[in-house]
Amino acid sequence: KASVVVMAEIVREAEAAMDREAEENRQQMSMPRPCISQEAVCAAAARTAQDQAASVMLVVTETGEAPALAAKYRPTVPIVAVCVDESVARQCALLCGVIPVVVPWRGPLGDATSQYTTVNVRKVINAALDKVQKLGIVKSSSRAVVLHDADITDGAELNDWVLRVVDLAGIPSGGMTVSVSDSPSTWA
């Protein structure tokens, strides 16, 4: 146990000593031109998290591919992978800087038997933010960068992405209230 604690401290120290701006410039220079949209969106999400002084990046995932790509850009904030089930969460737990949380918006066989019978992205994100706040990862007075597929139920990932900045309000008795920076009518 002591060796794991020492290794974790070494990693934290090494990460703290990194020149984030130089690393970002290196990543930008090595990004293929023209880059695929997934690369551009993940790079933008990492940069947006820094520019907006966000405390967390939330990535809604069905397969684990999106958090893996987001982790490639080493954002300065933790990446929370909002996973549909435990198997995806286990995969995401192996990614650097990624904290998986399970919000079962789909039943075990892909049917809509979870508490989110009609999948509503807002409900999934609210449930995830509530879990993240309860875990102490994010404070209610901070911001989150949220990255998700436009259709989180299609089984495909990295098709049509949505990136938004969310201001987190206080936590009323029913959970976290979310104020989104764009029109609520765009939520699925």
Side-chain angles (χ1 to χ4, degrees):
K1 183 177 178 177
S3 61
V4 172
V5 171
V6 170
M7 286 190 308
E9 183 58 36
I10 290 170
V11 169
R12 272 193 291 278
E13 213 171 299
E15 293 275 330
M18 273 180 48
D19 181 356
R20 296 282 182 188
E21 194 169 321
E23 178 66 16
E24 184 180 323
N25 288 338
R26 186 192 62 76
Q27 287 175 338
Q28 288 294 325
M29 295 303 290
S30 66
M31 188 183 294
R33 303 277 192 242
C35 69
I36 59 174
S37 62
Q38 295 88 344
E39 291 277 340
V41 170
C42 285
R47 181 61 191 209
T48 301
Q50 181 179 343
D51 291 347
Q52 292 290 309
S55 59
V56 69
M57 182 187 299
L58 208 70
V59 181
V60 181
T61 183
E62 292 178 88
T63 65
E65 293 175 66
L69 191 53
K72 173 182 174 181
Y73 291 95
R74 309 285 284 199
T76 56
V77 298
I79 300 168
V80 173
V82 182
C83 306
V84 67
D85 58 38
E86 291 287 337
S87 66
V88 175
R90 284 191 295 273
Q91 292 172 5
C92 291
L94 300 173
L95 300 171
C96 180
V98 176
I99 303 164
V101 296
V102 177
V103 177
W105 64 83
R106 199 170 59 203
L109 301 174
D111 58 357
T113 58
S114 75
Q115 61 178 325
Y116 305 104
T117 332
T118 303
V119 176
N120 180 309
V121 175
R122 176 178 283 183
K123 288 181 182 178
V124 171
I125 291 171
N126 280 348
L129 288 171
D130 191 41
K131 282 187 174 190
V132 166
Q133 199 279 332
K134 286 177 182 172
L135 291 171
I137 297 169
V138 67
K139 294 181 179 163
S140 60
S141 61
S142 61
R143 288 185 170 161
V145 171
V146 180
L147 189 59
H148 64 86
D149 198 45
D151 182 358
I152 63 170
T153 62
D154 62 1
E157 201 155 288
L158 311 172
N159 290 352
D160 45 357
W161 288 47
V162 177
L163 169 67
R164 50 185 70 174
V165 176
V166 177
D167 289 319
L168 309 176
I171 302 176
S173 58
M176 186 171 281
T177 304
V178 176
S179 166
V180 183
S181 61
D182 59 1
S183 169
S185 64
T186 62
W187 288 88

